[in-house]
Amino acid sequence: GENVEQHPSTLSVQEGDSAVIKCTYSDSASNYFPWYKQELGKGPQLIIDIRSNVGEKKDQRIAVTLNKTAKHFSLHITETQPEDSAVYFCAASWAGDYKLSFGAGTTVTVRA
Amino acid sequence: DAGITQSPRYKITETGRQVTLMCHQTWSHSYMFWYRQDLGHGLRLIYYSAAADITDKGEVPDGYVVSRSKTENFPLTLESATRSQTSVYFCASSERSSGSYEQYFGPGTRLTVT
């Protein structure tokens, strides 16, 4: 099955700086890569996703990049704000399969 | 718009007891999922369902049983709870529409097995 590795496990950044989280996947058939944000005491929520036919996708301060050859994808958060503090999960799947394989998560802390 | 709800939110049970975690969604989504979340492991899929009366195993199904007699409900039963099943359990639902694969998660159930 698919194996997704996520780094770093914790990330502390100064407010206004950028944060980058990286993930690698093992199954070359995977073609759907979502990112979920989990706030304290809540369930994860989708913040952005990318398909394998796209190399980069942006949504305001959030961007995701994908390198299919190297089988890795990254989440970039610019101009971080205190409300960006949360646990972020990457995931991978084949779009024809609803099952997601998640990374272990990254705890992001934005220092004021 | 209630969305997806889970009950109970917190549960303490003893080793060997049977416990059922409930999940209810109001969107009539076809797909429903059960995950467990443990530190260092992220979210691991326990079981999923593609429709009423259709269920299948995920990555870590041992010790768990599911059923789906109605589209909106997807209960998860621990037949004989063990300490290793202490975890936070999340239910999620999804529907493929306009090419979206988003899974919508409930608020979670924190289960402690003593």
Side-chain angles (χ1 to χ4, degrees):
Chain A
E2 175 65 272
N3 181 45
V4 178
E5 294 190 354
Q6 182 172 347
H7 299 280
S9 58
T10 61
L11 182 60
S12 179
V13 297
Q14 191 70 36
E15 183 177 357
D17 288 350
S18 296
V20 180
I21 304 170
K22 298 181 179 181
C23 291
T24 61
Y25 62 98
S26 61
D27 190 345
S28 57
S30 290
N31 58 4
Y32 173 64
F33 307 93
W35 286 87
Y36 283 79
K37 176 183 180 182
Q38 184 180 25
E39 297 178 344
L40 195 62
K42 297 184 178 180
Q45 185 173 10
L46 180 72
I47 54 172
I48 195 168
D49 58 13
I50 192 168
R51 312 283 173 86
S52 61
N53 58 346
V54 176
E56 183 176 2
K57 183 177 180 180
K58 290 183 179 180
D59 183 3
Q60 299 181 8
R61 296 185 297 106
I62 292 174
V64 59
T65 59
L66 172 65
N67 183 326
K68 280 211 72 179
T69 303
K71 289 192 278 190
H72 67 71
F73 56 112
S74 300
L75 178 72
H76 303 254
I77 307 173
T78 59
E79 300 175 12
T80 53
Q81 301 171 4
E83 54 263 37
D84 295 328
S85 294
V87 180
Y88 292 81
F89 293 97
C90 61
S93 80
W94 172 56
D97 185 350
Y98 273 77
K99 293 181 288 184
L100 291 174
S101 295
F102 284 87
T106 297
T107 301
V108 175
T109 302
V110 180
R111 308 187 306 272
Chain B
D1 184 3
I4 184 165
T5 57
Q6 294 184 234
S7 62
R9 294 294 313 277
Y10 302 91
K11 176 74 177 178
I12 300 174
T13 191
E14 295 177 343
T15 301
R17 290 192 179 268
Q18 181 181 84
V19 60
T20 296
L21 310 183
M22 304 301 294
C23 178
H24 175 79
Q25 51 108 353
T26 60
W27 297 304
S28 298
H29 283 170
S30 297
Y31 280 80
M32 295 189 74
F33 309 83
W34 273 107
Y35 294 90
R36 60 177 289 172
Q37 183 176 18
D38 305 288
L39 194 63
H41 291 279
L43 293 150
R44 291 182 291 175
L45 183 65
I46 304 170
Y47 269 95
Y48 68 104
S49 169
D53 297 322
I54 300 175
T55 62
D56 206 350
K57 296 178 180 179
E59 181 185 355
V60 288
D62 293 345
Y64 303 95
V65 175
V66 293
S67 62
R68 195 162 176 213
S69 58
K70 293 184 178 181
T71 299
E72 61 268 28
N73 296 323
F74 191 37
L76 175 74
T77 297
L78 287 67
E79 294 186 299
S80 178
T82 65
R83 290 192 181 89
S84 64
Q85 293 177 310
T86 292
S87 186
V88 180
Y89 291 85
F90 287 97
C91 177
S93 71
S94 183
E95 186 66 74
R96 181 170 293 180
S97 60
S98 302
S100 172
Y101 304 103
E102 181 172 2
Q103 292 190 15
Y104 297 86
F105 284 80
T109 294
R110 182 175 294 277
L111 176 68
T112 302
V113 182
T114 62

